[in-house]
Structures are given as structure tokens and as C-alpha cells.
Amino acid sequence: MFDPILLQTFVAVATARSFTGAAVHLRIGQSTVSQHIRRLEVSTGRRLLVRDTHSVMLTPDGEAMLGFARSILDANERARSYLQGARLSGRIRFGASEDFVTTRLADVLHKFTERHPSVELELTVALSSTLFDLLDEGALDLVIAKRRVGLNQQREARSGVAVRTERLVWAARDPSVVEQGKPLPLILFSRPGITRVAAIEALDRKGIPWRIVCTSGSLSGLQAAARAGLGVMVQPRSMVSSGLVVLPTSPQLPQLEEVEFILTSASNEPTGVAAALAREILDRNARQEFELPFREAV
């Protein structure tokens, strides 16, 4: 029998590749993290991690154990949700930003409704600014959306739980779409999209000429235009879709800012169904289950 607390610590260390990062995430001391890992290695009789002054690496046994640990923790969560959540019922109006929907959010929502069959889930997919407006109007109960980091605007200052911080990047079908001496062809969300504003401001600060070749209110429209080779688009780094590559910064492509995805509700603290869904999203994010692979341009 493996102690779930030790497994949770091991997964946190393996995910963060850092004892310090795991301690921050779990809100425990770094010495406690070290003790948990030692106890787990004693319990398994195997060396699971190799640690030096700069990084933490999984051994082959550690890689295998990571899969087992996640399965055990997931089974524990399913049992807990079933036994505690059999009584969970009601309606949840959930809003998610266009780009976050391209992650494995669908799998999380499917598992959530499967565990709580008496819950009615109503999903709204829109731009972050639209979702915040709907939340303020009382049309949504829970929202995961992005905001610009470090801005002191009222909307950016709204309360919520920070889920993750992502660097915005330029993405295109091929680097050749960026031509020296010609205005940068941009594929952008409709106003007032956050990535639209961030891209234009970054280019204007550097005095880089640009032109808009495609505007769309949907992410699928932007991705179709980018895959067709019409220009470059802007997305959070881990959410660049297949068929596109991340372009390196250059004199024509300045570094873009970071954005933050937050989970926020109509009330200060979500309750009932909203609280259960929020907990599920945060748990899955901690295990990096929303990640998508991306390709760097050579």
C-alpha cells in the first residue's frame, strides 16, 4: 500500500522538476518534501529521482512510478468524488476562453459530468472579455479566462485563483511568412481580444510595420488562416495547435508579454457545484493534464 500523501508529493516534484516548486505548490516545507520522497523510495525499494544543484530528473523506475502514482491518485479521487458527490446535483453555467478550450479541458468536463450525473453543465466558449461581462451580468457561475499580467485596470484586478501563467508567442505555418522589409501579416481576434491588443502594442513599441490579413471572433477561424499560411497569430505558448510552429523572436517579432489564466466565480468563494468543478480543474492543472505539445521553428 502506497501512502497517497507521499504519492502526491512525488507527482508534484516530478511535475515541477523541483523540490522547491513542489513545496510551494503543496504549501509545505522543502524539508517535508525531501522526507516524503525518501519515505516513498524506502517503500518502493527503488531510486526514483536523481537530484543535483540545478535540476531533478526521474530515473527509469521513477518514470514508471509516476504513471502508477497518477493512476492511484486518480482512482482515489474518483472514489472520493463518487462517495461524496453522489448527492451533488444542480446546474453549473461554466465559461471558458477560446484558447483554453483547445487544451484537454473537454476530457476534464467529461469526467466531471460522468462522476456527477445529476449535475447539469452548461458551457459557454467566448473571448475572455465577453466571459467576464457575462459573469458580471450573472449569466455565468464560473469562468476560466485570461488577463494581462501586471496591468492595474479594474478588469485585470478582479479576484480569482491563478491557474497558470503563459508567455504569448508568435505562431505560423512556416517562418517564411515573415518577410524582411514588408509589414508583418497579422491574424487577430476581433476587438477587444487580449492577444490582439498585446500583439499590436508590442509591434508599435518597436516601430514595426504591420497589417491585418484576417480577423475572426473564433479561434478555429484564426487557426485556419494561420495554417493556410496567410500570416502570424498570437497564442499562449503551450496552446499552439498542430500544423503551426512557434516562431523565435527577431527584429520583426518582438518578445510578447505573459498572460495569466484565472478561475473566477460570481461570488467571492464558489460553492456547491461551482466549487466542485473549480477543484477538479485546479487538480488536473497541477498534474499538467492540460498540456499540448508544440513545435519550435528551426
Side-chain angles (χ1 to χ4, degrees), residues 4-66:
I5 300 234
L6 304 185
L7 296 178
Q8 185 179 37
T9 301
F10 173 66
V11 170
V13 171
T15 300
R17 288 293 195 270
S18 163
F19 279 56
T20 302
V24 171
H25 171 70
L26 297 172
R27 297 182 180 179
I28 59 178
Q30 189 169 336
S31 61
T32 303
V33 171
S34 298
Q35 291 170 12
H36 286 182
I37 296 302
R38 280 198 299 270
R39 287 169 56 190
L40 183 61
E41 288 184 328
V42 169
S43 179
T44 60
R46 302 292 179 91
R47 183 77 178 274
L48 304 177
L49 298 171
V50 177
R51 181 185 183 188
D52 60 28
T53 55
H54 302 292
S55 64
V56 174
M57 299 295 294
L58 291 169
T59 65
D61 287 329
E63 292 282 1
M65 190 62 194
L66 180 59

Side-chain angles (χ1 to χ4, degrees), residues 80-224:
R80 185 196 65 77
S81 296
Y82 176 82
L83 295 173
Q84 294 183 357
R87 298 183 299 276
L88 190 63
S89 62
R91 178 170 169 240
I92 172 70
R93 299 168 302 172
F94 176 57
S97 66
E98 283 264 357
D99 35 19
F100 205 85
V101 168
T102 64
T103 69
R104 295 187 175 92
L105 177 64
D107 294 336
V108 174
L109 297 180
H110 171 70
K111 290 178 181 178
F112 180 80
T113 54
E114 192 176 52
R115 293 174 186 173
H116 307 289
S118 297
V119 169
E120 296 179 17
L121 174 65
E122 180 182 311
L123 175 64
T124 297
V125 179
L127 296 178
S128 295
S129 56
T130 301
L131 294 174
F132 288 143
D133 288 340
L134 292 173
L135 188 68
D136 292 339
E137 294 166 7
L140 294 175
D141 304 308
L142 185 69
V143 161
I144 186 164
K146 63 180 178 294
R147 64 181 178 187
R148 300 175 75 183
V149 176
L151 294 187
N152 193 25
Q153 299 176 7
Q154 183 177 359
R155 170 163 291 163
E156 314 307 302
R158 70 169 56 242
S159 61
V161 178
V163 177
R164 64 199 298 165
T165 300
E166 289 270 1
R167 171 73 62 183
L168 293 178
V169 295
W170 304 99
R173 175 174 177 169
D174 188 270
S176 63
V177 74
V178 181
E179 298 184 70
Q180 188 71 30
K182 293 187 178 181
L184 185 67
L186 295 179
I187 299 169
L188 301 175
F189 271 120
S190 306
R191 290 185 179 91
I194 287 176
T195 54
R196 176 192 180 100
V197 175
I200 291 175
E201 287 185 359
L203 293 170
D204 286 347
R205 279 195 299 270
K206 296 291 186 179
I208 300 170
W210 53 270
R211 64 188 179 93
I212 297 176
V213 296
C214 175
T215 300
S216 176
S218 73
L219 182 60
S220 59
L222 301 183
Q223 291 172 338

